[in-house]
Amino acid sequence: MTVATNAVPSPSSARRPIAWGTPFTYALALAVAAVSIVPVVYVIVGGFRTTPQIIADPAGLPDPWVWDNYQRVLTQSDFWRQAFNSAVIALGTTAGVVVLGVCAAFVLARYTFRGREALYTFFTLGLLFPAGAAILPLYLMLRDLSLINSYYAVILPQVAFQLPLTIVILRPFLSAVPRELEDAAAIDGAGRLGFLWRIMLPLSRPALVTVGVLAFVASWNAFLLPLLVLGDVDLHTLPLGVQNFSSQYTSDTAGILAFTSLAMLPALLFFTLAEKQIVGGLQGAVKG
């Protein structure tokens, strides 16, 4: 009589298969990171050089390090006025995007009504609409509303163009909150707005930070729309200031790099500090 025994797998057979795609993935990620980071580092470091140094060795390091370029930009009143304009427009855009986006996403996530999915599809189609295609009719509409040369001429269109992405990110978060929490809040006497303010918003903090940062950075870096609707030099933002500075000091390459690096620094720092929240917000949106 033969007794059957279970074969014990050898250590070699229990090993996991080699993931050949992992080294390629890391290499691709490093290549993408290098393409994104190297130009930023070049602009910042280039501001610490002189124009003759850049002409002699474009890829070299500062030798010696020169601080005059940044000091000259920071002592200009035009720079601080443009920074103030950029801050007002970016903060106004961010506030409008977050408030209106939360309201629209809350209705689409927690209310059941006829045409809800069609309305959500209508918002998502806004992601496919290029902003550049609407520049001319948008300019004519703003002109008829007497909004040209005002902060509203930039804030309102930017809020409208940012809403589709905001709703796509926020809706999964608001939909994921269990109905039991809403029922418990109703028992405690909280209405719809109370439930939104006390429970939904704290639980959706990663998504709120994500849409806020994306709206702020997009508004801070906007160029085409402010260029068309802000003819008054006193209302120019930093991207327009970079263009004006480049036109005025064409031969001062080091000064242009210093102005450019200071113009992009606030958005860069804002994005870096909120990086973890952005990743969590995008992951939640994909899962939803």
Side-chain angles (χ1 to χ4, degrees), residues 130-136 138-139 153-154 158 161 218-231 237 239-240 243:
I135 288 297
L136 180 59
L138 182 61
Y139 176 84
V154 183
Q158 288 184 157
F161 284 116
S219 176
W220 189 274
N221 295 329
F223 176 78
L224 181 58
L225 181 61
L227 177 64
L228 294 178
V229 301
L230 298 178
T237 57
L240 299 182
Q243 181 196 39

Side-chain angles (χ1 to χ4, degrees), residues 14-38:
R15 293 175 183 174
R16 295 181 179 179
I18 298 176
W20 294 105
T22 301
F24 175 76
T25 302
Y26 283 124
L28 182 61
L30 290 175
V32 173
V35 171
S36 303
I37 296 175
V38 169

Side-chain angles (χ1 to χ4, degrees), residues 92-94 96-98 100-101 122-123 125-127 129 131 134 138 141 152-167 215 225:
T93 300
T94 303
V97 167
V98 172
L100 295 179
F122 176 78
F123 277 111
L125 289 177
L127 296 173
F129 187 78
L138 182 61
M141 182 177 65
Y152 297 108
V154 183
I155 294 175
L156 295 179
Q158 288 184 157
V159 170
F161 284 116
Q162 286 290 326
L163 274 181
L165 179 61
T166 302
I167 294 173
L225 181 61

